[in-house]
Amino acid sequence: MGIFNKIFKSYSEREVQRVMPLVEKINSLEEEISKLSDIELSNKTKEFKDRLQNGETLDDILTEAFAVMREASKRVLGMRHFDVQLIGGIILHQGRIAEMKTGEGKTLVATLPAYLNALSGNGVHVVTVNDYLATRDSEWMGKVYKFLGLTVGLVISGMKPEEKQKAYSADITYGTNNEFGFDYLRDNMVIYKNQAVQRGLNFAIVDEIDSILIDEARTPLIISGKAAASSEMYTKADDFVKKLTPKIIVEEDVKDIDQAEDNEKYDYIVDLKAKSASLTAKGIDKAEKTFNLENLDDLDNSDLVHHINQALRAHGIMKKDIDYIVKGGEVLIVDEFTGRIMYGRRYNNGLHQAIEAKERVRIADESKTLATITFQNYFRMYSKLSGMTGTAMTEEAEFQEIYKLDVITIPTNKPMIREDSNDVIYKNEKAKFNAIVEEIKKSHEKGQPVLVGTISIENSEKISSILKKEGIPHQVLNAKFHEREAAIIAQAGKYGAVTISTNMAGRGTDIILGGNSEYLARQEMKKKAYSDELIEQANAYNETDDQEVLEARNIFRDLEKKFDEEIKEEKEKVIKAGGLKIIGTERHESRRIDNQLRGRSGRQGDVGESKFFIGLDDNLMKIFGGDVITNIYDKIGADEDMPIEAKMLSSAVENAQKRVEGRNFSIRKNVLQYDDVMNTQREIIYGQRRDVLDGKNLKESILKMIEPVATEVVSSFFGTEENENINKESLAQEIKNNFGISDIEALKEEKLNQVDIINEVVEKSKQKYEEKEQELGEQEIRELERVVMLKVVDQKWMDHIDAMDDLKEGIGLRAYGQKDPVAQYRIEGFDMFDAMVAEIQKDVVKILLNIQKAGELKREQTAKITSVAQATLDSINVVTENKEQVPQTSDVKRTPVVNQGPKVGRNDPCPCGSGKKYKNCCGK
């Protein structure tokens, strides 16, 4: 195999060879560029931008731009890009993953493609795993960008929107994966375009890309909230409805439309066939008196209307021991097809809470998933994506399949001479920890710094406790002490240092042999009572006339030189002692995490060692093969403190890790397959929102909605029989509720024709809308359309997210019926999406056709993003023309049934007996 590799180079080697001519060209420009003055060098940025404007491409100016960045880095940071760093920069610019060993200067590598791509003016995002690294890198590398005339932004948690807008408008923006993703979701919840903070997603350079796109890919980003005061409102609405007098219309009650005045004797009408319940004028009058309102149908009261509507449904339509039962203080849904209790399911849109209020059991809080996206789908939206890590090759197949990203291994600047020992296996944790402590003592006695990696806080503290008893001084780095991370890691390479750390020490920070001179200089400045702000200014590369800053800068640089000399001597002692020693206390599920830990040692050709200690009671060994090795121990009668060290066992552990990695890949792929369904729908909804925010004229779209809404409303009363009896009274009421139209000539015919009814409703609705525009004025109704559309779309989308979550929870059972759950989720999910779009159209038409005049129009978020997000619908200040209800939610959508009964056609009568077609009733 070795001969084969020598004859036929690997893919990475061939790709590196392919970019070498570019590297040679950059090197050839170095002498010429170095002769430029600081101003001339900085002016190159404007020159490059002008050339791009005149038709050149980023590839055309790559070599010159890289040469300029290298020279600027030499002058500002005192750091010159090595050839291998130039290779890494080119690979990143090409939209690929550069696998570079620890200590090869990935942070500096990113400056090359970041500078080049920022010249286009479309922005570059540099993504890190935590706020500390984002802040550090933006300040550290930001000095070079600013020297070259570019702007630098930083996005971290806790910033105000206006601060984020400024950061995102910068040429290069540093931030964390979480914050970038959450800002995208929040931007798609704003109600005015100028509230959005991000601009287009152009180019992302993801540091530690395997951590972000692999390790965190199983957990989607979710913005959620709940209605804090919902319980009290449901109870008040229930108390009100209990005092009302209903008129119940059953299927056989067929009355002439002219008898509708009989309705005014009642407070609300329940049509059991149509499964609708609505207040009469008399009921609305009672509501206004009870709640001390001038106009119930003013949309400022829409939250109350919502609660009353659901209370009407709970009392008028939902029947105890038929639709639901009460058991153990809970309302449990009964499957209407099988009669089985649907444990874990709840009616949505607040109906379940309304039933809980009716039955006087504990009312659960309403919770909402306001927005959600996976990291996979967020980062795939960038026009160009690239990344760096020390450990990507083990996940090469996943990067290629999910993200279409190549992984290219970049050669090290100096040969790797770290010594990686075989794993040592012990019978149990106690024996393993004793051996680890003995190993630490040996190294500590000769002054060799040791970094001990653990996979849990508990284990880091166990080892710390043993070391304290042995009198060995050490530092502990875990999540409890994360604020001391920089200080601990900065000095972990000092002579005789012992550091115990969880995986926190595996990424993003370099352990320099002998210590970190910059850190020591900062500490010394603090002892001299210099403020943090002044120290930062002293360490920044910027022109200043401030004498205090200049004085501090001189002191800072003198201290760095002094500590550099001391550290050189200390580094020699550390090298003689064997360099940094890495001790792994347990194998992780992923080989990458172990490789990251090893990678803290042996940076830039330094000497070093690494060794993993394993116990047969470690989690990984329990799952894969621990019993077999335990039996060998028992058979040979070996003492528990006797280690087993063999290449074969290390290979067995690695194979176990490969199996776990394969399983985790399947899980991540499964998560993505489900989110891909939501992603298509999310793009449609977010696109619609952007049209609204951009001020698009929505009139034509709204007029087009009228016909499908009219068809849905009218046809739901017609079954499959041509001459069936239709409840004219109920149909007339429904038309009046939805379109605000009372006089439908086609309803007066002895034999009803649904096409004639639909056509008349459409014609009169469009005519009425034109009259509305004349009455309110074109400018005002255009804004009103946007306000209504935003409100309805946001509310329905949030309800849809919850419904899709419910569907996903139950869909796995389809596998028992020899059906692909993902395929079923896709089919049913798009049916539900179509139903949601129909509901959006219905509510938009209903609200706009019932508007008489508008007061002060203002947009408000449908849900507040807070720790306890109050889901509010108070977003439009209007007065409605008639006294019928204005919708805030459509009829409850039952969660799709998992146990499938007899097949019901979409156009067949619904089995529930409502008289509607199945697709317009329970089939929703």
Side-chain angles (χ1 to χ4, degrees), residues 330-341:
E330 283 187 86
V331 172
L332 303 173
I333 299 174
V334 176
D335 187 329
E336 63 180 308
F337 296 110
T338 67
R340 296 179 185 275
I341 296 171

Side-chain angles (χ1 to χ4, degrees), residues 304-460:
L304 174 61
V305 171
H306 164 68
H307 286 85
I308 291 174
N309 286 345
Q310 297 298 36
L312 292 173
R313 290 183 55 77
H315 282 273
I317 297 168
M318 309 307 295
K319 302 301 179 188
K320 186 178 179 181
D321 297 331
I322 297 175
D323 296 294
Y324 66 90
I325 64 169
V326 178
K327 182 179 179 182
E330 283 187 86
V331 172
L332 303 173
I333 299 174
V334 176
D335 187 329
E336 63 180 308
F337 296 110
T338 67
R340 296 179 185 275
I341 296 171
M342 300 173 73
Y343 289 102
R345 300 295 180 89
R346 292 177 64 81
Y347 294 117
N348 62 4
N349 289 341
L351 178 59
H352 211 98
Q353 285 84 352
I355 298 171
E356 287 167 339
K358 168 189 169 184
E359 298 296 343
R360 288 299 190 253
V361 298
R362 189 183 71 82
I363 301 173
D365 286 333
E366 282 189 272
S367 62
K368 285 282 182 194
T369 298
L370 310 182
T372 179
I373 194 171
T374 58
F375 281 123
Q376 293 119 311
N377 271 322
Y378 171 71
F379 281 104
R380 290 196 303 187
M381 286 191 291
Y382 279 89
S383 301
K384 184 164 70 174
L385 178 65
S386 67
M388 311 174 287
T389 180
T391 48
M393 200 52 76
T394 57
E395 315 294 344
E396 182 181 18
E398 183 166 352
F399 279 121
Q400 183 61 51
E401 182 173 343
I402 304 297
Y403 302 101
K404 304 294 184 286
L405 287 172
D406 274 354
V407 178
I408 307 298
T409 300
I410 309 299
T412 55
N413 186 47
K414 294 179 181 177
M416 172 71 72
I417 59 173
R418 185 186 65 233
E419 184 182 329
D420 297 328
S421 303
N422 288 330
D423 297 349
V424 185
I425 301 178
Y426 288 84
K427 192 170 185 180
N428 54 42
E429 184 184 84
K430 180 184 174 186
K432 177 181 74 172
F433 280 177
N434 288 339
I436 287 169
V437 171
E438 285 303 312
E439 191 83 8
I440 293 170
K441 283 168 77 174
K442 284 181 194 173
S443 296
H444 184 62
E445 284 169 4
K446 61 179 182 178
Q448 183 179 26
V450 180
L451 175 65
V452 184
T454 67
I455 67 168
S456 68
I457 293 174
E458 181 185 9
N459 282 349
S460 68

